[in-house]
Amino acid sequence: MAAVVLAATRLLRGPGSWGGARLRFGAPACRQFSSGGAYPSIPLSSPLPGVPTPVFATVDGQEKFETKITTLDNGLRVASQNKFGQFCTSTDRFDSKDEILLTLEKHGGICDCQTSRDTTMYAVSADSKGLDTVVGLLADVVLHPRLTDEELEMTRMAVQFELEDLNMRPDPEPLLTEMIHEAAYRGNTVGLHRFCPTENVAKIDREVLHSYLRNYYTPDRMVLAAVGVEHSHLVECARKYLLGTRPAWGSGKAVDVDRSVAQYTGGIVKLERDMSNVSLGPAPFPELTHIMIGLESCSFLEGDFIPFAVLNMMMGGGGSFSAGGPGKGMFTRLYLNVLNRHHWMYNATSYHHSYEDTGLLCIHASADPRQVREMVEIITKEFILMAGTVDEVELERAKTQLMSMLMMNLESRPVIFEDVGRQVLATCSRKLPQELCALIRNVKPEDIKRVASQMLRRKPAVAALGDLTDLPTYEHVQAALSSKDGRLPRTHRLFR
């Protein structure tokens, strides 16, 4: 569509219109054919003689190529989204990773592997003509990893380095996210450590990995998703490489799969740490204490997932100093009520983590250690205000922003691919963007108040990192979130 518009624009401007030409819309002028011959003056609103009638793309609110899903005999699901273009997104046969990359380069391909708290994703982008090669490569990578001693040792070193880096980096958000999950789901499911404990790094060997793969890399837990391919061709490739294939760990059945449902517990996880030297140099980063307070929301399978997503967008927030400077994103509540009014706060950001059986909405805040108590009270007040009056203007703004982010993200082919894979993996189907936008538009102020009130009945989860001398007790935080105004219980000290 963009190419069509560009071509039409250049035709309308005419020869010589780039450098201050005299040609104006509607003004008579003598123009020339591309062959050099002249034709009489014709208004720009009229079709050009000899030029084919342009055909423009139309939008009717429905995707012409909806997600197609096929389930193979072994339970593996194959999902595709047909998009125009020549690129698709979607080992014992290879002696090294260099050979894999060389194979992909033949088809203009790139690859990566990413893990989250609940999924592992292997992704490849390549010319659609190489679909057979790409699916075969993915099947080899997933089902036939060689796991040599050298690779295992290199990976152990990489994991060790990342763990050390995690504890030294000035950005505490990844560590705080781990801590808030540990506090919210004490000792179960998503509350278990995502990062490998240091003492376990040396224990992970080929046998341990094969045991994990045998239990969790089963066809019924897998989805082969692709964008930009013919569905029938993708199913054919899936049957060829993923049906009846014996994996490297053998054909034994899974015996030790944790199928328990997430149990929200609430609680607090604290980590006392000297944050005064996390960023040294001519302009060192100030010493800060970081607090994250969360409450259980809902899973992404529940109807209230959309109101919670809108609520999270309405809270918004960010850092006091960020790209774009002051004035950027100052319409969300955490900017208006917190960062604009309390100059000493360095950060106030809302996050929403949602899973198949639970969810967690939390606020991360940072400030000088001497102002921790005041910072916590400000955040607890914001939680209480979530269940208060919802302004129609701020609600419409939050819904518009959420729809805008959704649609802009789905302009990217890899994001569509990930969206297809995750939705089919979780729900065996996929909601199209217009369906999600319709659900977002239907969110009312009373929906926000209802889900916020339900959330506030839960025990809080608290994560704290840094100098925690003035951190309120967990009981006081819980009392503040149970009160009408969010205030912490008053304390009286004889000595400071």
Side-chain angles (χ1 to χ4, degrees), residues 302-313:
E302 297 179 50
D304 284 339
F305 171 69
I306 297 296
F308 269 115
V310 174
L311 173 60
N312 178 60
M313 190 62 64

Side-chain angles (χ1 to χ4, degrees), residues 2 44 49 107 110 113 178 211 278 286 328 376 410 433 446 461 474 486:
L44 289 175
H107 303 283
I110 55 175
C113 177
E178 285 301 299
S211 175
V278 294
K328 179 175 72 69
V376 171
L410 291 176
E446 52 267 29
Y474 176 78

Side-chain angles (χ1 to χ4, degrees), residues 270-347:
K270 299 185 290 184
L271 182 58
E272 288 269 4
R273 176 175 292 177
D274 181 7
M275 305 290 285
S276 60
N277 59 352
V278 294
S279 179
L280 302 177
F285 202 75
E287 180 182 1
L288 299 175
T289 293
H290 305 274
I291 305 294
M292 193 175 279
I293 299 176
L295 291 166
E296 187 180 25
S297 56
C298 71
S299 83
F300 54 64
L301 298 178
E302 297 179 50
D304 284 339
F305 171 69
I306 297 296
F308 269 115
V310 174
L311 173 60
N312 178 60
M313 190 62 64
M314 197 164 66
M315 299 306 296
S320 295
F321 302 96
S322 59
K328 179 175 72 69
M330 296 246 176
F331 288 105
T332 58
R333 285 191 179 186
L334 292 180
Y335 264 116
L336 290 173
N337 301 344
V338 179
L339 295 172
N340 284 4
R341 297 182 182 181
H342 307 283
H343 65 88
W344 45 270
M345 287 190 66
Y346 281 78
N347 180 59

Side-chain angles (χ1 to χ4, degrees), residues 206-255:
R206 188 182 298 103
E207 184 179 347
V208 170
L209 291 176
H210 276 178
S211 175
Y212 171 81
L213 294 169
R214 183 180 301 109
N215 288 328
Y216 291 96
Y217 278 40
T218 55
D220 59 304
R221 303 173 69 94
M222 292 183 184
V223 169
L224 174 65
V227 173
V229 302
E230 289 290 340
H231 185 72
S232 58
H233 189 192
L234 181 65
V235 173
E236 179 185 338
C237 293
R239 288 198 173 105
K240 179 179 178 181
Y241 293 107
L242 295 168
L243 187 60
T245 303
R246 179 183 171 88
W249 48 88
S251 56
K253 293 184 178 180
V255 295

Side-chain angles (χ1 to χ4, degrees), residues 137-209:
L137 185 148
L138 280 176
D140 264 6
V141 169
V142 175
L143 300 177
H144 302 101
R146 299 182 67 182
L147 303 180
T148 64
D149 292 337
E150 182 181 0
E151 286 178 320
L152 289 171
E153 185 57 35
M154 290 292 293
T155 304
R156 290 191 196 101
M157 292 173 61
V159 170
Q160 191 70 43
F161 172 80
E162 290 179 2
L163 291 175
E164 293 174 1
D165 178 67
L166 180 68
N167 292 320
M168 294 188 295
R169 61 193 303 176
D171 175 23
E173 196 272 328
L175 186 56
L176 274 174
T177 301
E178 285 301 299
M179 294 169 63
I180 197 70
H181 279 82
E182 184 182 354
Y185 306 94
R186 180 75 70 172
N188 74 90
T189 58
V190 292
L192 302 175
H193 286 285
R194 179 186 169 195
F195 301 121
C196 178
T198 305
E199 62 273 15
N200 287 353
V201 174
K203 299 177 183 178
I204 298 178
D205 55 19
R206 188 182 298 103
E207 184 179 347
V208 170
L209 291 176

Side-chain angles (χ1 to χ4, degrees), residues 1-5 8 53-62 64 84:
M1 179 175 172
V4 173
V5 173
T53 303
V55 178
F56 297 96
T58 59
V59 179
D60 60 4
Q62 295 291 325
K64 294 298 183 184
F84 294 110

